[in-house]
Structures are given as C-alpha cells and as structure tokens.
Amino acid sequence: GAGVSQSPSNKVTEKGKDVELRCDPISGHTALYWYRQSLGQGLEFLIYFQGNSAPDKSGLPSDRFSAERTGGSVSTLTIQRTQQEDSAVYLCASSLGPSGSADTQYFGPGTRLTVL
Amino acid sequence: AQSVTQLDSQVPVFEEAPVELRCNYSSSVSVYLFWYVQYPNQGLQLLLKYLSGSTLVESINGFEAEFNKSQTSFHLRKPSVHISDTAEYFCAVSRPGFQKLVFGTGTRLLVSP
C-alpha cells in the first residue's frame, strides 16, 4: 500500500519568507509526527498529533513554527519568516495509534528545505 | 529526559565480516528501544525494536540487537554484512506513554568488497 508522502521534496526559499510543508500519512493511521534532520542537530522531534489534536508540541523550536492537521489525515507544517538555521530535512511519520510509544513509526521521504 | 549516544559516527567494514554498531541510552525510567536504517536516498525504516520480554531481538535481514539494562545498551550486530547493508543506522528510544522518539546521531556503515 501507499506509504507516507511529503511535498514538496525540495524547497528553496529566501530568508524571511514563509513556507508550508505537507504530509500525507498512511491511510488509517491516527498518529502523525514531524521531525527535523539537520547536520548540526541530528534527528529532532518537533510535534505529535493524535487525530487533529497536538498533545505534544514540545519540540517546536520557536513560535515561527506551527503545524495543523485536518480531518485526521493531512498535516501542514508552517515556518514563518524563515531563517538560515531552519535549513534541514523535515520528516513526517505516522503510526496506527493511539496505543502509545510502542507503535512503529513509518517515515516519509522528507522535504529538504534550503533557506538562502 | 532520555538521551541516546551512538559512539561511532562511521564504521567501515569489509563484506562478509561481522559488525557491531554501539548504542547507549540514558533514562531514569523504562524505555522502548529501536533501530532505524536509512539507505542512500531513502526514508527511515524500522529495523527492529525492543519493547519487553526477551532481551534479544532480530530483524528479517540478519541483524540482531540485545537489550542490556545494567549497561544501558542496545548494540546492533550482524555476523556477516553485505554491500547492500551500506546505510546510516539510528538508535532511538521512547518512553512508555510518550510518543516521541529520541534519536542518536547515527552511525554510517560502509561495507566494501
């Protein structure tokens, strides 16, 4: 079946612009996660959704970062006023949920964001 | 808070040789442990996980990892590697009841003929 998909695969933007990154989870998965993979910081958790709610936003690095999920499916990660340090690969994952942290998370291919 | 240390950033090895990728974790509570693999130009895939029970867990492609509570380790091993095992391997932990994964910095396994 179809896996987690993300769009765009690559995004180049200018410093100060806003960007939106999209994630389509595996059908039927109620849990959705965003992570960031960068050279300096490795793989970092950003936010977790269960359904349309985000019970854990602890990894969002600043108030320039926000995310939403609608219809218990698609999620959008928005970065406002991008900075060069936002350059990274943004990964989305989904899992069956809500049975907890033992669930296998299935990752998408990522969106490579470059801020010039 | 949990943390994961992968001591080796890169491990070069010859084909058919054994390999061990080291992972140590820090946590004051029980954790679940995972190994994920990222092949070149592909997304992260789960290799194996330890939740409870037998401390030795195996994957379908010959890798195994052993949970050692006293040493807080979860090292990944394979007795004979293939060229196709060339990838980056990430160790991760999660805490029961908390969904996020905390990852190590990754170990790049380079298998040469």
Side-chain angles (χ1 to χ4, degrees):
Chain A
V4 177
S5 60
Q6 293 185 246
S7 60
S9 56
N10 279 284
K11 177 72 176 178
V12 180
T13 190
E14 293 179 348
K15 178 181 172 181
K17 301 282 189 183
D18 298 351
V19 296
E20 285 189 353
L21 312 180
R22 178 189 167 104
C23 172
D24 277 278
I26 293 172
S27 178
H29 280 193
T30 63
L32 186 146
Y33 315 78
W34 284 97
Y35 293 86
R36 179 168 71 172
Q37 187 174 21
S38 58
L39 282 177
Q41 302 296 324
L43 265 160
E44 306 171 277
F45 166 82
L46 297 177
I47 187 170
Y48 153 67
F49 286 93
Q50 180 55 51
N52 293 334
S53 301
D56 189 351
K57 307 178 185 179
S58 62
L60 294 178
S62 75
D63 57 9
R64 296 186 296 106
F65 287 72
S66 62
E68 64 175 13
R69 188 179 185 196
T70 55
S73 181
V74 171
S75 176
T76 303
L77 177 69
T78 301
I79 309 173
Q80 295 179 311
R81 306 181 302 281
T82 52
Q83 303 294 314
Q84 288 182 332
E85 61 262 29
D86 300 334
S87 295
V89 177
Y90 288 82
L91 298 172
C92 177
S94 69
S95 67
L96 273 173
S99 58
S101 49
D103 282 345
T104 296
Q105 295 184 23
Y106 296 85
F107 283 80
T111 293
R112 182 175 297 277
L113 175 66
T114 303
V115 182
L116 301 177
Chain B
Q2 293 74 49
S3 66
V4 178
T5 301
Q6 291 184 250
L7 295 168
D8 305 302
S9 60
Q10 190 165 293
V11 173
V13 65
F14 289 110
E15 193 174 19
E16 297 183 6
V19 71
E20 178 180 84
L21 306 183
R22 295 179 292 171
C23 172
N24 288 87
Y25 68 93
S26 174
S27 177
S28 59
V29 298
S30 297
V31 294
Y32 298 140
L33 293 155
F34 305 80
W35 275 100
Y36 276 83
V37 59
Q38 189 172 32
Y39 296 104
N41 301 313
Q42 294 187 29
L44 280 164
Q45 305 172 32
L46 180 70
L47 193 58
L48 46 77
K49 63 182 178 182
Y50 170 78
L51 304 180
S52 64
S54 172
T55 57
L56 185 67
V57 290
E58 299 177 351
S59 72
I60 58 172
N61 58 354
F63 282 93
E64 63 179 32
E66 186 161 19
F67 169 58
N68 188 318
K69 188 174 182 180
S70 63
Q71 297 187 3
T72 60
S73 68
F74 191 56
H75 301 331
L76 182 70
R77 302 183 182 95
K78 189 170 185 180
S80 175
V81 295
H82 302 287
I83 297 285
S84 58
D85 292 324
T86 293
E88 188 145 21
Y89 292 79
F90 293 90
C91 183
V93 301
S94 69
R95 179 179 166 185
F98 293 81
Q99 276 63 35
K100 71 178 182 182
L101 289 170
V102 175
F103 286 90
T105 51
T107 297
R108 188 172 299 277
L109 177 63
L110 298 169
V111 183
S112 54

